[in-house]
Amino acid sequence: LPVAPSATTTIDYCEGATASALTATAAAGHTLVWYDQNQQLITTGAPTPLTSAAGSTLYYVAQKKTLSNCEGAKTAITVTVISTPSAPSVSDVSYCQGATASALIATASGTNTLVWYDGNQQLITTGAPTPSTANVSSTTYYVAQKTTTDCEGPKASITVTVNASPAAPIATTAVEYCKDDVASALTATASGGHALVWYDTDGVTLLSSAPTPSTVSVGATDYYVAQKNTSSNCIGPQTTI
């Protein structure tokens, strides 16, 4: 009787991967005989494992002497299909033009690691990308999670939108009063879909509404106003009054 044929007895695939037909090495003057996990003869030759579901499947192969038809012992081959992870949890991101961006984030489960791709789905080897906010744009990035056995799951998409900053609002930039006059609240004109944002004399402290200048002392005071896009919340440059 021939000896059991030589073969790789443990084969791993990721779920959904493209599998190849099993292989074994027969001695000279011998042919291979393949069996399924129930040790039923496979008449079509070496089987190609299914990878559509996670799990382990046994196959068997023996060699048969072509002159005598004597068949020897079987070699067992275990094919394991490893489950792939689901797409990671992500959220789309919006920035105002010129804002400082942060590296994109996604949530991987368990011991899985994240794999990042650019808008062309090319691998980013440096890890999570930090979007550019230099130009108004909409860019899609992709991220998947990979197991410790290098099985990578489907990609999730993250759309990064960079919104335009509004222009400075229109205002009368020089207002004059006589000392002790009754002053009115300052005014400016916002464009459609925008709201005015008023700042105190330091240009930083936000005011709840347009300020009314004090006229109790002689002198000049600067106030500041910008406009904010009510959809994107992007605030543009300030106009000085």
Side-chain angles (χ1 to χ4, degrees):
L1 291 175
V3 298
S6 173
T8 301
T9 57
T10 302
I11 299 173
D12 292 339
Y13 283 106
C14 297
E15 187 177 2
T18 301
S20 301
L22 299 180
T23 60
T25 303
H30 295 70
T31 56
L32 296 173
V33 185
W34 291 93
Y35 297 87
D36 65 16
Q37 60 184 347
N38 299 313
Q39 301 201 40
Q40 298 297 309
L41 179 67
I42 300 173
T43 58
T44 53
T48 299
L50 294 176
T51 63
S52 54
S56 292
T57 306
L58 273 173
Y59 295 89
Y60 301 90
V61 61
Q63 54 181 339
K64 181 171 67 173
K65 211 165 196 175
T66 52
L67 292 178
S68 64
N69 271 345
C70 289
E71 184 177 318
K74 298 181 180 73
T75 296
I77 300 175
T78 301
V79 176
T80 301
V81 178
I82 302 167
S83 179
T84 54
S86 59
S89 175
V90 298
S91 297
D92 291 338
V93 181
S94 292
Y95 285 105
C96 299
Q97 186 178 8
T100 301
S102 301
L104 298 181
I105 58 173
T107 303
S109 56
T111 58
N112 296 334
T113 55
L114 296 173
V115 185
W116 291 92
Y117 297 87
D118 65 16
N120 297 316
Q121 301 199 39
Q122 299 297 309
L123 180 66
I124 300 173
T125 58
T126 53
T130 299
S132 169
T133 63
N135 300 304
V136 175
S137 61
S138 180
T139 306
T140 301
Y141 296 86
Y142 301 89
V143 59
Q145 49 180 337
K146 182 172 66 173
T147 66
T148 55
T149 54
D150 277 344
C151 286
E152 185 176 319
K155 300 180 182 72
S157 62
I158 301 176
T159 299
V160 177
T161 303
V162 179
N163 296 296
S165 294
I170 297 171
T172 300
T173 57
V175 180
E176 292 184 352
Y177 286 103
C178 295
K179 183 177 180 296
D180 297 324
D181 276 356
V182 176
S184 301
L186 299 180
T187 60
T189 303
S191 54
H194 294 72
L196 294 174
V197 183
W198 290 93
Y199 298 87
D200 207 350
T201 56
D202 59 3
V204 176
T205 303
L206 287 172
L207 301 175
S208 59
S209 60
T212 299
S214 171
T215 62
V216 297
S217 300
V218 174
T221 305
D222 286 339
Y223 292 91
Y224 304 88
V225 61
Q227 55 179 341
K228 177 174 70 174
N229 186 307
T230 54
S231 297
S232 66
N233 280 334
C234 290
I235 299 176
Q238 296 170 341
T239 296
T240 303
I241 303 176

